[in-house]
C-alpha cells in the first residue's frame, strides 16, 4: 500500500485463535453472535500476529516484529522472516525497528536465542514502555537485553523517522504508541494494540482483557476511533485479520469498519 511516497506492507508471522468470551468478558454472547464477520462459530476469535514494513526514503523500517517461532501450531506461525524475504528484504537490510509497545507478541523476532535478529537496525520505543517492561516483565528483560545498546527512545508525541510520527495512546501499556504515516497530503495509521479487533472501534464498550490500564486504554481507543472517522484515513491494527487496512465510516448512524 502506498501512502504518498511511503510504501507500507504487512509482514505476517502467523495467527492464533482464542475464545472471544474470555477475551471480552463484559460482552454478552448475543452481542458476540451479532458479529459473525469477526467471530467464528462458538465465539472463536482469530488474531493475526506480525508487523509492518515501511519504506520511507532510504529507510527500511519495521513496526513491530511478530511473536516469534512459539505458536503452538507450528504450521501457523514463525513465518515473519520468510514473509520479509518474500518482499526482497533480508533481516540485515532493516534500518529501524519501531515498537508500538513491548508485549511478547510484538517483539518476538527482535532477538532469537540472545542474538539480535536485525543486526544493523536501531530499535525504538516510547521511554515509558521501556521503563515499565524492564521493571515489571522478566520475559521482556531477557528478550530485549541484547538490543539495549541499540535502543533509542522517545516520549509522547514525536517524529521518530521521516514521515512517521508516534501518537501516545497509553493504556494498553504505559508507553503504547500508534503511528501516523504521512507523505504529501496522504496519511494512514498503524494502531498497534489500541484496538485488537475492528469491532472495538465500532463499539468503544468492547474492552479486551490485556490492558495494563483499562480506563486509559478505552479513552485512547475512543480518541483513535473519533480521529479515524473524522479523517476518513486508512488504518490497520497489529492483530486485525490479515493485517488488512480499512476505514472507520458511519453507515446508517452506526460506525462500521470497511476494507
Ligand atoms: Zn498484541
Amino acid at each position: 500500500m502506498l501512502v504518498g511516497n511511503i510504501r507500507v506492507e504487512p509482514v505476517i508471522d502467523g495467527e492464533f485463535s482464542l475464545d472471544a468470551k474470555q477475551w471480552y468478558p463484559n460482552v454478552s454472547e448475543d452481542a458476540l453472535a451479532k458479529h459473525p464477520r469477526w467471530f467464528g462459530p462458538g465465539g472463536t476469535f482469530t488474531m493475526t500476529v506480525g508487523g509492518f514494513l515501511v519504506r520511507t526514503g532510504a529507510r527500511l523500517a519495521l513496526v513491530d516484529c511478530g511473536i516469534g517461532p512459539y505458536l503452538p501450531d507450528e504450521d501457523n506461525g514463525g513465518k515473519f522472516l520468510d514473509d520479509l524475504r518474500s518482499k526482497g528484504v533480508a533481516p540485515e537490510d532493516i534500518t529501524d525497528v519501531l515498537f508500538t509497545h513491548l508485549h511478547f507478541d510484538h517483539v518476538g523476532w527482535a532477538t532469537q536465542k540472545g542474538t539480535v535478529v536485525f543486526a544493523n537496525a536501531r530499535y525504538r520505543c516510547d521511554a515509558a514502555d521501556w521503563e515499565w517492561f524492564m521493571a515489571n516483565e522478566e520475559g521482556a528483560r531477557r528478550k530485549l537485553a541484547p538490543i539495549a545498546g541499540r535502543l533509542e527512545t522517545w516520549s509522547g508525541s514525536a517524529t521518530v523517522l521521516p514521515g512517521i510520527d508516534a501518537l501516545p495512546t497509553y493504556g494498553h501499556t504505559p508507553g503504547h504508541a500508534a503511528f501516523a504515516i504521512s507523505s504529501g497530503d496522504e496519511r494512514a495509521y498503524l494502531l498497534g494494540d489500541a484496538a485488537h479487533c475492528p469491532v472495538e472501534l465500532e463499539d468503544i464498550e468492547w474492552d479486551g482483557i490485556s490492558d495494563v490500564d483499562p480506563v486509559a486504554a478505552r479513552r485512547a481507543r475512543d480518541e483513535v476511533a473519533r480521529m479515524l472517522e473524522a479523517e476518513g484515513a486508512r488504518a490497520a491494527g497489529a492483530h486485525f485479520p490479515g493485517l488488512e487496512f480499512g476505514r472507520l465510516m458511519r453507515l446508517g448512524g452506526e460506525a462500521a469498519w470497511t476494507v
Side-chain angles (χ1 to χ4, degrees):
M1 184 185 83
L2 277 174
V3 183
N5 295 324
I6 301 176
R7 183 173 292 279
V8 184
E9 296 165 274
V11 184
I12 308 268
D13 200 16
E15 59 180 39
F16 62 97
S17 293
L18 312 150
D19 180 347
K21 291 189 288 296
Q22 287 178 7
W23 187 262
Y24 298 111
N26 300 324
V27 172
S28 70
E29 290 201 28
D30 281 356
L32 281 172
K34 283 189 189 126
H35 291 280
R37 184 176 171 197
W38 310 120
F39 306 109
T44 310
F45 176 24
T46 301
M47 283 198 195
T48 299
V49 281
F52 294 88
L53 176 68
V54 184
R55 302 173 197 251
T56 171
R59 313 297 271 272
L60 269 180
L62 287 172
V63 172
D64 293 338
C65 56
I67 193 169
Y70 313 116
L71 287 175
D73 177 359
E74 281 181 22
D75 292 337
N76 223 358
K79 297 175 178 163
F80 192 85
L81 298 184
D82 289 341
D83 198 14
L84 197 58
R85 285 194 189 93
S86 78
K87 294 167 171 53
V89 176
E92 55 271 25
D93 298 333
I94 297 296
T95 60
D96 303 87
V97 180
L98 315 181
F99 295 122
T100 58
H101 64 298
L102 300 179
H103 272 151
F104 67 99
D105 55 319
H106 298 254
V107 304
W109 289 99
T111 67
Q112 284 293 306
K113 299 184 175 142
T115 301
V116 175
V117 172
F118 307 102
N120 297 313
R122 304 296 298 175
Y123 288 74
R124 302 169 195 275
C125 69
D126 191 302
D129 239 42
W130 184 262
E131 283 163 24
W132 191 84
F133 276 86
M134 291 307 107
N136 293 288
E137 294 256 345
E138 173 57 27
R141 267 199 297 275
R142 245 183 293 121
K143 165 67 82 177
L144 298 174
I147 65 162
R150 305 152 178 263
L151 184 79
E152 289 180 15
T153 59
W154 71 81
S155 292
S157 299
T159 297
V160 292
L161 285 181
I164 307 181
D165 291 286
L167 307 179
T169 37
Y170 298 165
H172 179 62
T173 62
H176 183 279
F179 294 105
I181 315 284
S182 311
S183 172
D185 57 4
E186 290 189 43
R187 184 173 294 170
Y189 293 93
L190 299 175
L191 304 178
D193 285 2
H196 289 78
C197 172
V199 73
E200 296 175 23
L201 297 171
E202 294 174 334
D203 186 343
I204 295 305
E205 314 255 304
W206 285 59
D207 297 317
I209 53 169
S210 67
D211 300 325
V212 173
D213 179 341
V215 174
R218 186 192 278 203
R219 192 164 53 230
R221 195 164 73 244
D222 189 27
E223 285 172 8
V224 163
R226 282 188 282 120
M227 176 187 76
L228 292 179
E229 198 184 317
E231 293 188 19
R234 290 168 290 179
H239 301 296
F240 286 9
L243 304 184
E244 194 174 22
F245 282 79
R247 286 184 161 92
L248 190 64
M249 320 272 280
R250 195 151 286 270
L251 302 174
E254 301 272 318
W257 187 255
T258 57
V259 293

